[in-house]
Amino acid sequence: MIAESPSVTPEGTCTPPAGWEIHHVEPGETLFAYVLGASIAGTTITTNDLRQVNCLVTDLLQIGQALYLPPGAAENAPSSEPVGVPGGGSGPRAPQC
């Protein structure tokens, strides 16, 4: 399903498409992760759509910031937090030449 196009009113206020929900940004969340989450939930959107709906001029988000998202976007978004190195290491090893 393709999301209803976001719109900007003549006064410059941004309005979300019908059915979009308010979500408060949590640590590690990104606009791209919301796009992936929306796709998993069956809605096609872009980061540009999210910026336009939420009157954002950048991709940078603040923890606790309120955003309009399509249903399922936040719940299905993959974590953007770094994952530890397999085997418990701390990173790349120095070459053993």
Side-chain angles (χ1 to χ4, degrees):
M1 162 170 57
I2 296 178
E4 184 180 319
S5 295
S7 62
V8 178
T9 65
E11 299 83 34
T13 58
C14 304
T15 56
W20 283 35
E21 305 163 340
I22 292 180
H23 170 75
H24 294 277
V25 176
E26 296 180 15
E29 295 183 338
T30 65
L31 291 180
F32 186 67
Y34 298 142
V35 168
L36 295 175
S39 178
I40 291 168
T43 302
T44 302
I45 58 169
T46 66
T47 55
N48 191 49
D49 294 333
L50 292 176
R51 283 192 303 272
Q52 185 177 1
V53 164
N54 291 287
C55 296
L56 302 175
V57 294
T58 178
D59 288 345
L60 299 177
L61 302 175
Q62 298 286 326
I63 295 171
Q65 180 178 359
L67 297 176
Y68 285 103
L69 299 175
E75 296 81 4
N76 292 304
S79 173
S80 297
E81 290 292 319
V83 178
V85 176
S90 61
R93 294 187 332 205
Q96 302 291 320
C97 299

